[in-house]
Amino acid sequence: MSPASFDRRLTPARADLGAEHLRGLVDAPRYVEGRRMRIVEASAPLRRAPQGDAPLETEALFGEAVTVYDKSEGWAWAQLERDRYVGYLPGAMLGAPSAPTHRVAALRTHAFPGPAIKLAPRMALSLGAQLKIVDHEGDFAVAEEGLYLWSRSLAELGANEPDWVAVAERFIETPYLWGGRTSEGIDCSGLVQTALTAGGIVSPRDSDMQEKMLGEPIALDDPEARLARGDLVFWKGHVGIMRDSLTLLHANGWHMKTVREPLAQARERIAANGGGEVTSVRRLGAAL
């Protein structure tokens, strides 16, 4: 079977190369075992092709694990461990694997070279970045790279947020960025995935995958089926989160940022601008 028969976003197979675990499933001239690595910059762009102006598929955050299948001319063809997305990462942004213990719980936090906030930060890490904390010094947690982070901006990996919608609300006014997953820029499905992940809920990356895999369908206009906080509202190529029974929270290209607005207003505008009608509403569980 050719690689084209699979979802290209999730399948580590090209015309010239396939992952070893796909042997017998896809046809390729050769197969390789991947090498596990991790992101060592604040964030890394995963692109559709090995060039800086190629479309951005998604972003990988500091500390996240990847499996690299090929390296060439400064680019690594790799698969993200978080959501199985496949694409090209700048090779210089990869380093040796590690076992993270904590995640960034603040919308954004600085990593310093020492235990003092007046020092010039080495980088700024976004919500969801992962670190292996090896020590504490005063109010600072010390990561294995020698980075010092304000302890209260971190959470242990197993400590999930009790209200994932509140996590999404932290991104209000964040600029819209196609493929983005950080506080510098985020898209609609990236917002959903990032917030759900903070709440301990596994989510695929794109809105079409989320619509197929998350929650159970509920009626939108049935007066007996009142929308609730945390319901996901889908259009073709777009998704938003219900903040309450009437208000939608979403990153979108009309406002070019993350906003909250009446769902009725969003539905009218999206339909008027060629985005179509709501395709489904999905409920993940009890209202928060």
Side-chain angles (χ1 to χ4, degrees):
M1 187 175 294
S2 71
S5 303
F6 292 82
D7 189 329
R8 65 161 184 82
R9 296 169 294 180
L10 306 177
T11 308
R14 309 184 307 204
D16 66 325
L17 180 66
E20 179 61 41
H21 69 269
L22 294 176
R23 186 185 292 270
L25 298 175
V26 301
D27 297 325
R30 64 188 181 98
Y31 302 88
V32 297
E33 292 283 358
R35 178 187 176 192
R36 198 166 187 267
M37 303 186 76
R38 69 182 172 109
I39 306 299
V40 294
E41 295 292 337
S43 64
L46 186 83
R47 299 196 180 277
R48 192 171 299 176
Q51 53 197 58
D53 59 354
L56 180 66
E57 299 277 33
T58 187
E59 292 179 300
L61 305 183
F62 185 94
E64 290 187 339
V66 305
T67 301
V68 175
Y69 292 100
D70 186 36
K71 279 189 172 184
S72 178
E73 299 182 352
W75 291 90
W77 183 56
Q79 184 170 38
L80 306 186
E81 185 174 286
R82 168 179 34 85
D83 53 26
R84 316 309 297 168
Y85 237 78
V86 176
Y88 293 86
L89 293 161
M93 293 184 173
L94 299 174
S98 183
T101 60
H102 290 69
R103 61 176 176 85
V104 173
L107 183 64
R108 199 165 186 82
T109 193
H110 288 105
F112 299 94
I117 60 174
K118 293 184 179 181
L119 295 174
R122 288 187 181 174
M123 64 180 71
L125 301 180
S126 195
L127 189 148
Q130 300 179 2
L131 306 107
K132 181 177 180 179
I133 300 303
V134 296
D135 200 2
H136 287 81
E137 191 169 334
D139 288 320
F140 288 86
V142 186
E144 62 180 337
E145 300 85 0
L147 300 173
Y148 288 72
L149 298 101
W150 194 247
S151 294
R152 292 189 286 279
S153 68
L154 305 178
E156 294 184 0
L157 282 186
N160 298 322
E161 296 283 351
D163 183 351
W164 66 268
V165 180
V167 176
E169 289 179 298
R170 297 181 203 168
F171 285 89
I172 289 174
E173 296 295 325
T174 296
Y176 180 84
L177 176 65
W178 180 275
R181 282 189 62 237
T182 78
S183 55
E184 289 188 323
I186 200 163
D187 66 11
C188 64
S189 55
L191 178 67
V192 170
Q193 184 192 49
T194 298
L196 286 174
T197 299
I201 302 169
V202 176
S203 170
R205 176 59 176 91
D206 285 350
S207 61
D208 64 316
M209 302 175 186
Q210 292 169 352
E211 187 171 17
K212 291 177 182 177
M213 299 176 63
L214 294 176
E216 299 294 333
I218 64 169
L220 174 60
D221 296 316
D222 182 349
E224 300 298 320
R226 182 180 175 87
L227 296 185
R229 181 175 175 85
D231 287 345
L232 299 177
V233 183
F234 291 92
W235 290 259
K236 184 177 181 180
H238 187 59
V239 60
I241 305 162
M242 293 306 296
R243 183 173 180 265
D244 51 46
S245 63
L246 300 175
T247 310
L248 185 73
L249 174 69
H250 62 147
N252 68 90
W254 174 263
H255 296 95
M256 285 305 291
K257 60 183 178 180
T258 300
V259 301
R260 51 176 174 249
E261 63 174 325
L263 173 61
Q265 176 178 299
R267 291 180 69 184
E268 181 179 356
R269 184 187 65 253
I270 291 171
N273 285 277
E277 301 295 334
V278 170
T279 54
S280 72
V281 180
R282 312 284 294 185
R283 179 164 292 172
L284 277 72
L288 297 170

